[in-house]
Amino acid sequence: MSEQRPGPGIDTSVPHVARIWNYWLGGKDNYPVDREVGDQILGMLPDVARLARASRLFLNRVVWHLAAEAGIRQFIDIGTGLPTVDNTHEVAQRAAPESRIVYVDNDPLVLEHAKGLLTSTPEGSTAYIHADLRDPDAILEAAAETIDFSRPVAFTLMGILEFVPDDDQAYRIVRRLMDAVPSGSYFAMYDGTNVVHGEASDRIVDVWNASGNAQLVLRTPEEIGRFFDGLVLVEPGIVPVTHWRPDAAEPEAVDAYGAVGRKP
């Protein structure tokens, strides 16, 4: 694999979640330190690579459902990660070309790739906000340049709330976001669990947290369910991401549970 030159603000001496995830998905936007940690985790639990792919497909199915079936035309994707195939705006605008999408991330490498994200159909629009999930007010203020908050909005927070270890803070963030949008809006997310692989998943968290990366916490399906308090869950509710409206026969579960909820 040829090595790319890091851009300004990118520390290649410390592994980074977005780059490790990119490595597991078969991408090239990663460095030796990311591959080292990624391989260490894969050696402990090879299923992590399948989880990475499955979580991406979950996002695709969720966005397609919201745009094609639920009629949502505005999306705020927080914790965007590095661009890959079928990004949120591509799926949403395939279903509804007039869709507006705002991406949010605080990773310098994602910022470098933002121009690649800012493509759109002529009828719709996309924008990128360099901001931190822990500051939802800043996200909402910046998103208002693209998003009409008098109309329904869908928030997607895929595999990002697990990097807010404090439960109370994580729940407050989601409540603040959902308080800012009208009835008919949606919230979709997944987070890691240890339901499927038990102690193996716990050991991976220990390796991850010792690597110098952003600290990670696993939550139970019940704890994930608390993010949806006050919302109406879309069937099939809180399930492994592979079991949320799969395209084919229900595949084997992975250690990531997710759901979609509608604000009544």
Side-chain angles (χ1 to χ4, degrees):
M1 181 182 294
S2 61
E3 201 65 59
Q4 61 173 329
R5 290 187 177 183
I10 296 174
D11 185 353
T12 61
S13 68
V14 177
H16 194 283
V17 55
R19 302 192 312 246
I20 296 172
W21 210 252
N22 175 265
Y23 173 54
W24 287 337
L25 289 171
K28 298 181 179 180
D29 294 303
N30 48 76
Y31 299 95
V33 67
D34 308 306
R35 298 192 284 274
E36 180 181 349
V37 173
D39 286 339
Q40 184 179 2
I41 291 173
L42 285 173
M44 298 170 62
L45 186 60
D47 200 47
V48 167
R50 189 170 71 89
L51 186 155
R53 294 189 295 271
S55 63
R56 191 71 192 182
L57 293 173
F58 170 67
L59 170 65
N60 295 163
R61 294 195 303 275
V62 166
V63 172
W64 180 263
H65 165 74
L66 293 174
E69 301 175 32
I72 294 297
R73 298 294 180 263
Q74 302 189 110
F75 294 81
I76 301 179
D77 182 337
I78 303 177
T80 301
L82 292 164
T84 180
V85 295
D86 278 345
N87 298 292
T88 298
H89 73 282
E90 294 169 318
V91 177
Q93 292 183 343
R94 192 180 306 143
E98 68 274 23
S99 296
R100 303 178 183 181
I101 295 86
V102 171
Y103 291 105
V104 183
D105 209 301
N106 68 342
D107 179 1
L109 188 56
V110 177
L111 178 60
E112 277 200 353
H113 284 268
K115 289 183 179 179
L117 287 171
L118 299 182
T119 59
S120 176
T121 58
E123 304 94 328
S125 62
T126 64
Y128 176 80
I129 300 170
H130 192 68
D132 194 303
L133 170 65
R134 294 171 179 81
D135 191 355
D137 288 333
I139 292 172
L140 293 168
E141 181 179 356
E145 296 183 11
T146 304
I147 298 296
D148 178 357
F149 282 103
S150 69
R151 297 171 51 219
V153 178
F155 289 100
T156 60
L157 281 73
M158 302 297 181
I160 186 67
L161 285 162
E162 59 193 14
F163 294 103
V164 183
D166 183 273
D167 287 343
D168 289 339
Q169 182 184 20
Y171 296 132
R172 282 197 305 270
I173 289 168
V174 173
R175 285 196 300 271
R176 176 67 187 98
L177 294 173
M178 294 309 295
D179 283 347
V181 294
S183 174
S185 294
Y186 285 82
F187 168 65
M189 59 88 71
Y190 78 82
D191 264 350
T193 69
N194 63 358
V195 174
V196 177
H197 294 291
E199 291 184 1
S201 291
D202 292 333
R203 289 196 299 272
I204 286 174
V205 171
D206 292 339
V207 169
W208 188 283
N209 288 345
S211 72
N213 213 324
Q215 296 296 288
L216 169 68
V217 63
L218 299 180
R219 292 189 170 97
T220 67
E222 292 75 22
E223 289 168 333
I224 291 172
R226 284 187 57 193
F227 287 112
F228 295 87
D229 285 353
L231 305 179
V232 178
L233 285 172
V234 174
E235 290 294 334
I238 300 163
V239 294
V241 294
T242 46
H243 294 180
W244 199 90
R245 304 193 175 199
D247 296 325
E250 188 171 280
E252 187 178 351
V254 294
D255 251 336
Y257 273 61
V260 178
R262 178 179 56 82
K263 184 173 181 176

mmCIF file of all heavy atoms in Angstrom, residues 58 61-62 65-66 69-70 72 184-188 228 231-239 243-245 258-263:
data_model
loop_
_atom_site.group_PDB
_atom_site.id
_atom_site.type_symbol
_atom_site.label_atom_id
_atom_site.label_comp_id
_atom_site.label_asym_id
_atom_site.label_seq_id
_atom_site.Cartn_x
_atom_site.Cartn_y
_atom_site.Cartn_z
ATOM 1 N N PHE A 58 -26.091 -0.709 7.342
ATOM 2 C CA PHE A 58 -27.199 -0.258 8.191
ATOM 3 C C PHE A 58 -27.506 1.212 7.917
ATOM 4 O O PHE A 58 -28.668 1.597 7.731
ATOM 5 C CB PHE A 58 -26.826 -0.472 9.662
ATOM 6 C CG PHE A 58 -27.773 0.153 10.652
ATOM 7 C CD1 PHE A 58 -29.066 -0.305 10.796
ATOM 8 C CD2 PHE A 58 -27.346 1.204 11.464
ATOM 9 C CE1 PHE A 58 -29.933 0.268 11.722
ATOM 10 C CE2 PHE A 58 -28.196 1.779 12.394
ATOM 11 C CZ PHE A 58 -29.495 1.307 12.525
ATOM 12 N N ARG A 61 -29.366 1.526 4.618
ATOM 13 C CA ARG A 61 -30.771 1.101 4.681
ATOM 14 C C ARG A 61 -31.608 2.118 5.443
ATOM 15 O O ARG A 61 -32.762 2.394 5.069
ATOM 16 C CB ARG A 61 -30.888 -0.284 5.332
ATOM 17 C CG ARG A 61 -30.252 -1.396 4.518
ATOM 18 C CD ARG A 61 -30.704 -2.772 4.987
ATOM 19 N NE ARG A 61 -30.435 -3.024 6.391
ATOM 20 C CZ ARG A 61 -29.287 -3.478 6.884
ATOM 21 N NH1 ARG A 61 -28.265 -3.705 6.070
ATOM 22 N NH2 ARG A 61 -29.145 -3.706 8.180
ATOM 23 N N VAL A 62 -31.041 2.666 6.519
ATOM 24 C CA VAL A 62 -31.765 3.667 7.306
ATOM 25 C C VAL A 62 -32.045 4.913 6.469
ATOM 26 O O VAL A 62 -33.178 5.415 6.431
ATOM 27 C CB VAL A 62 -30.970 4.035 8.573
ATOM 28 C CG1 VAL A 62 -31.520 5.308 9.217
ATOM 29 C CG2 VAL A 62 -30.990 2.891 9.572
ATOM 30 N N HIS A 65 -34.660 4.261 3.812
ATOM 31 C CA HIS A 65 -36.004 4.202 4.402
ATOM 32 C C HIS A 65 -36.523 5.600 4.705
ATOM 33 O O HIS A 65 -37.671 5.935 4.379
ATOM 34 C CB HIS A 65 -35.988 3.374 5.685
ATOM 35 C CG HIS A 65 -37.220 3.550 6.519
ATOM 36 N ND1 HIS A 65 -38.438 3.005 6.186
ATOM 37 C CD2 HIS A 65 -37.438 4.266 7.662
ATOM 38 C CE1 HIS A 65 -39.350 3.350 7.078
ATOM 39 N NE2 HIS A 65 -38.766 4.117 7.984
ATOM 40 N N LEU A 66 -35.680 6.423 5.326
ATOM 41 C CA LEU A 66 -36.132 7.754 5.724
ATOM 42 C C LEU A 66 -36.455 8.624 4.513
ATOM 43 O O LEU A 66 -37.444 9.374 4.528
ATOM 44 C CB LEU A 66 -35.067 8.429 6.587
ATOM 45 C CG LEU A 66 -34.841 7.780 7.961
ATOM 46 C CD1 LEU A 66 -33.669 8.432 8.678
ATOM 47 C CD2 LEU A 66 -36.103 7.861 8.818
ATOM 48 N N GLU A 69 -39.249 6.238 2.016
ATOM 49 C CA GLU A 69 -40.498 5.765 2.603
ATOM 50 C C GLU A 69 -41.081 6.738 3.622
ATOM 51 O O GLU A 69 -42.302 6.884 3.702
ATOM 52 C CB GLU A 69 -40.286 4.385 3.246
ATOM 53 C CG GLU A 69 -39.806 3.329 2.250
ATOM 54 C CD GLU A 69 -39.477 2.006 2.926
ATOM 55 O OE1 GLU A 69 -40.139 1.677 3.943
ATOM 56 O OE2 GLU A 69 -38.566 1.307 2.452
ATOM 57 N N ALA A 70 -40.230 7.373 4.422
ATOM 58 C CA ALA A 70 -40.726 8.278 5.466
ATOM 59 C C ALA A 70 -40.846 9.720 4.992
ATOM 60 O O ALA A 70 -41.386 10.559 5.711
ATOM 61 C CB ALA A 70 -39.828 8.200 6.699
ATOM 62 N N ILE A 72 -38.478 12.022 4.484
ATOM 63 C CA ILE A 72 -37.531 12.988 5.047
ATOM 64 C C ILE A 72 -36.665 13.571 3.932
ATOM 65 O O ILE A 72 -36.178 12.846 3.061
ATOM 66 C CB ILE A 72 -36.655 12.324 6.120
ATOM 67 C CG1 ILE A 72 -37.525 11.913 7.317
ATOM 68 C CG2 ILE A 72 -35.545 13.261 6.575
ATOM 69 C CD1 ILE A 72 -38.192 13.057 8.040
ATOM 70 N N GLY A 184 -42.317 14.668 13.696
ATOM 71 C CA GLY A 184 -42.079 14.034 12.406
ATOM 72 C C GLY A 184 -40.617 13.886 12.064
ATOM 73 O O GLY A 184 -40.267 13.311 11.034
ATOM 74 N N SER A 185 -39.733 14.405 12.947
ATOM 75 C CA SER A 185 -38.293 14.243 12.753
ATOM 76 C C SER A 185 -37.862 12.869 13.257
ATOM 77 O O SER A 185 -38.593 12.181 13.991
ATOM 78 C CB SER A 185 -37.529 15.337 13.498
ATOM 79 O OG SER A 185 -37.788 16.606 12.941
ATOM 80 N N TYR A 186 -36.651 12.468 12.886
ATOM 81 C CA TYR A 186 -36.155 11.135 13.219
ATOM 82 C C TYR A 186 -34.761 11.198 13.840
ATOM 83 O O TYR A 186 -33.990 12.116 13.577
ATOM 84 C CB TYR A 186 -36.079 10.260 11.967
ATOM 85 C CG TYR A 186 -37.424 9.761 11.476
ATOM 86 C CD1 TYR A 186 -38.234 10.580 10.695
ATOM 87 C CD2 TYR A 186 -37.877 8.484 11.791
ATOM 88 C CE1 TYR A 186 -39.464 10.128 10.239
ATOM 89 C CE2 TYR A 186 -39.105 8.024 11.338
ATOM 90 C CZ TYR A 186 -39.886 8.854 10.566
ATOM 91 O OH TYR A 186 -41.114 8.402 10.115
ATOM 92 N N PHE A 187 -34.480 10.175 14.638
ATOM 93 C CA PHE A 187 -33.158 9.968 15.212
ATOM 94 C C PHE A 187 -32.766 8.528 14.939
ATOM 95 O O PHE A 187 -33.534 7.596 15.229
ATOM 96 C CB PHE A 187 -33.183 10.244 16.712
ATOM 97 C CG PHE A 187 -31.942 9.796 17.442
ATOM 98 C CD1 PHE A 187 -30.713 10.381 17.177
ATOM 99 C CD2 PHE A 187 -32.002 8.786 18.396
ATOM 100 C CE1 PHE A 187 -29.572 9.968 17.846
ATOM 101 C CE2 PHE A 187 -30.872 8.364 19.073
ATOM 102 C CZ PHE A 187 -29.651 8.962 18.793
ATOM 103 N N ALA A 188 -31.571 8.327 14.355
ATOM 104 C CA ALA A 188 -31.081 6.980 14.055
ATOM 105 C C ALA A 188 -29.663 6.846 14.571
ATOM 106 O O ALA A 188 -28.849 7.765 14.440
ATOM 107 C CB ALA A 188 -31.128 6.710 12.555
ATOM 108 N N PHE A 228 -33.729 6.693 22.930
ATOM 109 C CA PHE A 228 -34.975 6.831 22.193
ATOM 110 C C PHE A 228 -36.166 7.152 23.093
ATOM 111 O O PHE A 228 -37.313 7.090 22.658
ATOM 112 C CB PHE A 228 -35.251 5.551 21.391
ATOM 113 C CG PHE A 228 -34.228 5.313 20.308
ATOM 114 C CD1 PHE A 228 -33.056 4.631 20.586
ATOM 115 C CD2 PHE A 228 -34.434 5.805 19.026
ATOM 116 C CE1 PHE A 228 -32.096 4.423 19.593
ATOM 117 C CE2 PHE A 228 -33.486 5.612 18.029
ATOM 118 C CZ PHE A 228 -32.324 4.918 18.317
ATOM 119 N N LEU A 231 -39.452 8.918 21.918
ATOM 120 C CA LEU A 231 -39.603 8.725 20.479
ATOM 121 C C LEU A 231 -40.376 7.434 20.213
ATOM 122 O O LEU A 231 -40.445 6.536 21.058
ATOM 123 C CB LEU A 231 -38.230 8.654 19.799
ATOM 124 C CG LEU A 231 -37.279 9.831 20.038
ATOM 125 C CD1 LEU A 231 -35.957 9.593 19.306
ATOM 126 C CD2 LEU A 231 -37.911 11.145 19.598
ATOM 127 N N VAL A 232 -40.932 7.344 19.028
ATOM 128 C CA VAL A 232 -41.648 6.135 18.605
ATOM 129 C C VAL A 232 -40.693 5.299 17.760
ATOM 130 O O VAL A 232 -40.249 5.732 16.696
ATOM 131 C CB VAL A 232 -42.906 6.492 17.785
ATOM 132 C CG1 VAL A 232 -43.603 5.213 17.327
ATOM 133 C CG2 VAL A 232 -43.841 7.374 18.602
ATOM 134 N N LEU A 233 -40.359 4.119 18.244
ATOM 135 C CA LEU A 233 -39.411 3.274 17.526
ATOM 136 C C LEU A 233 -40.011 2.757 16.223
ATOM 137 O O LEU A 233 -41.170 2.329 16.179
ATOM 138 C CB LEU A 233 -38.981 2.096 18.390
ATOM 139 C CG LEU A 233 -37.987 2.393 19.516
ATOM 140 C CD1 LEU A 233 -37.808 1.169 20.403
ATOM 141 C CD2 LEU A 233 -36.642 2.832 18.953
ATOM 142 N N VAL A 234 -39.219 2.795 15.179
ATOM 143 C CA VAL A 234 -39.589 2.203 13.900
ATOM 144 C C VAL A 234 -39.281 0.711 13.970
ATOM 145 O O VAL A 234 -38.232 0.314 14.486
ATOM 146 C CB VAL A 234 -38.799 2.872 12.751
ATOM 147 C CG1 VAL A 234 -39.065 2.168 11.424
ATOM 148 C CG2 VAL A 234 -39.139 4.352 12.672
ATOM 149 N N GLU A 235 -40.190 -0.120 13.465
ATOM 150 C CA GLU A 235 -39.945 -1.562 13.476
ATOM 151 C C GLU A 235 -38.675 -1.892 12.700
ATOM 152 O O GLU A 235 -38.397 -1.253 11.684
ATOM 153 C CB GLU A 235 -41.143 -2.301 12.850
ATOM 154 C CG GLU A 235 -42.403 -2.266 13.711
ATOM 155 C CD GLU A 235 -42.237 -3.037 15.006
ATOM 156 O OE1 GLU A 235 -41.403 -3.983 15.048
ATOM 157 O OE2 GLU A 235 -42.918 -2.703 15.978
ATOM 158 N N PRO A 236 -37.846 -2.817 13.186
ATOM 159 C CA PRO A 236 -38.083 -3.787 14.260
ATOM 160 C C PRO A 236 -37.565 -3.358 15.629
ATOM 161 O O PRO A 236 -37.312 -4.212 16.483
ATOM 162 C CB PRO A 236 -37.294 -4.996 13.753
ATOM 163 C CG PRO A 236 -36.117 -4.388 13.068
ATOM 164 C CD PRO A 236 -36.634 -3.148 12.408
ATOM 165 N N GLY A 237 -37.368 -2.078 15.882
ATOM 166 C CA GLY A 237 -36.914 -1.620 17.185
ATOM 167 C C GLY A 237 -35.412 -1.670 17.335
ATOM 168 O O GLY A 237 -34.670 -1.448 16.382
ATOM 169 N N ILE A 238 -34.948 -1.971 18.554
ATOM 170 C CA ILE A 238 -33.518 -1.978 18.867
ATOM 171 C C ILE A 238 -32.989 -3.388 18.658
ATOM 172 O O ILE A 238 -33.300 -4.312 19.413
ATOM 173 C CB ILE A 238 -33.280 -1.501 20.311
ATOM 174 C CG1 ILE A 238 -33.826 -0.079 20.482
ATOM 175 C CG2 ILE A 238 -31.802 -1.551 20.675
ATOM 176 C CD1 ILE A 238 -34.029 0.337 21.908
ATOM 177 N N VAL A 239 -32.181 -3.542 17.630
ATOM 178 C CA VAL A 239 -31.721 -4.868 17.205
ATOM 179 C C VAL A 239 -30.274 -4.768 16.718
ATOM 180 O O VAL A 239 -29.772 -3.666 16.465
ATOM 181 C CB VAL A 239 -32.604 -5.426 16.069
ATOM 182 C CG1 VAL A 239 -34.025 -5.695 16.556
ATOM 183 C CG2 VAL A 239 -32.611 -4.469 14.877
ATOM 184 N N HIS A 243 -29.809 -6.975 11.627
ATOM 185 C CA HIS A 243 -31.201 -7.427 11.679
ATOM 186 C C HIS A 243 -32.196 -6.293 11.432
ATOM 187 O O HIS A 243 -33.402 -6.520 11.481
ATOM 188 C CB HIS A 243 -31.497 -8.068 13.035
ATOM 189 C CG HIS A 243 -30.735 -9.336 13.266
ATOM 190 N ND1 HIS A 243 -30.841 -10.082 14.426
ATOM 191 C CD2 HIS A 243 -29.838 -10.006 12.484
ATOM 192 C CE1 HIS A 243 -30.048 -11.133 14.354
ATOM 193 N NE2 HIS A 243 -29.427 -11.101 13.184
ATOM 194 N N TRP A 244 -31.700 -5.077 11.179
ATOM 195 C CA TRP A 244 -32.610 -3.964 10.927
ATOM 196 C C TRP A 244 -32.958 -3.933 9.435
ATOM 197 O O TRP A 244 -32.187 -3.480 8.613
ATOM 198 C CB TRP A 244 -32.003 -2.628 11.351
ATOM 199 C CG TRP A 244 -33.034 -1.548 11.531
ATOM 200 C CD1 TRP A 244 -33.708 -1.240 12.674
ATOM 201 C CD2 TRP A 244 -33.519 -0.650 10.515
ATOM 202 N NE1 TRP A 244 -34.591 -0.213 12.448
ATOM 203 C CE2 TRP A 244 -34.509 0.169 11.135
ATOM 204 C CE3 TRP A 244 -33.250 -0.472 9.172
ATOM 205 C CZ2 TRP A 244 -35.212 1.164 10.438
ATOM 206 C CZ3 TRP A 244 -33.944 0.507 8.467
ATOM 207 C CH2 TRP A 244 -34.902 1.314 9.098
ATOM 208 N N ARG A 245 -34.129 -4.482 9.124
ATOM 209 C CA ARG A 245 -34.655 -4.508 7.760
ATOM 210 C C ARG A 245 -33.605 -4.960 6.735
ATOM 211 O O ARG A 245 -33.307 -4.241 5.774
ATOM 212 C CB ARG A 245 -35.220 -3.136 7.381
ATOM 213 C CG ARG A 245 -36.287 -2.657 8.364
ATOM 214 C CD ARG A 245 -37.055 -1.483 7.855
ATOM 215 N NE ARG A 245 -38.128 -1.140 8.777
ATOM 216 C CZ ARG A 245 -39.189 -0.395 8.469
ATOM 217 N NH1 ARG A 245 -39.315 0.095 7.246
ATOM 218 N NH2 ARG A 245 -40.128 -0.135 9.364
ATOM 219 N N GLY A 258 -28.656 -1.041 16.930
ATOM 220 C CA GLY A 258 -29.132 0.250 16.466
ATOM 221 C C GLY A 258 -30.632 0.288 16.344
ATOM 222 O O GLY A 258 -31.323 -0.728 16.500
ATOM 223 N N ALA A 259 -31.132 1.483 16.032
ATOM 224 C CA ALA A 259 -32.576 1.664 15.887
ATOM 225 C C ALA A 259 -32.841 3.005 15.226
ATOM 226 O O ALA A 259 -31.936 3.830 15.053
ATOM 227 C CB ALA A 259 -33.271 1.599 17.252
ATOM 228 N N VAL A 260 -34.084 3.210 14.880
ATOM 229 C CA VAL A 260 -34.573 4.462 14.324
ATOM 230 C C VAL A 260 -35.818 4.859 15.104
ATOM 231 O O VAL A 260 -36.695 4.022 15.349
ATOM 232 C CB VAL A 260 -34.926 4.321 12.828
ATOM 233 C CG1 VAL A 260 -35.472 5.634 12.272
ATOM 234 C CG2 VAL A 260 -33.706 3.867 12.035
ATOM 235 N N GLY A 261 -35.900 6.128 15.516
ATOM 236 C CA GLY A 261 -37.061 6.599 16.255
ATOM 237 C C GLY A 261 -37.618 7.874 15.654
ATOM 238 O O GLY A 261 -36.874 8.688 15.118
ATOM 239 N N ARG A 262 -38.940 8.026 15.743
ATOM 240 C CA ARG A 262 -39.617 9.208 15.194
ATOM 241 C C ARG A 262 -40.148 10.054 16.348
ATOM 242 O O ARG A 262 -40.711 9.556 17.309
ATOM 243 C CB ARG A 262 -40.772 8.771 14.297
ATOM 244 C CG ARG A 262 -41.581 9.954 13.709
ATOM 245 C CD ARG A 262 -42.695 9.441 12.801
ATOM 246 N NE ARG A 262 -43.584 8.512 13.490
ATOM 247 C CZ ARG A 262 -44.598 8.894 14.277
ATOM 248 N NH1 ARG A 262 -44.840 10.197 14.478
ATOM 249 N NH2 ARG A 262 -45.377 7.987 14.859
ATOM 250 N N LYS A 263 -39.985 11.369 16.217
ATOM 251 C CA LYS A 263 -40.504 12.291 17.219
ATOM 252 C C LYS A 263 -41.997 12.472 16.980
ATOM 253 O O LYS A 263 -42.416 12.895 15.895
ATOM 254 C CB LYS A 263 -39.792 13.644 17.128
ATOM 255 C CG LYS A 263 -40.213 14.636 18.197
ATOM 256 C CD LYS A 263 -39.351 15.887 18.152
ATOM 257 C CE LYS A 263 -39.751 16.882 19.247
ATOM 258 N NZ LYS A 263 -38.868 18.075 19.279
#
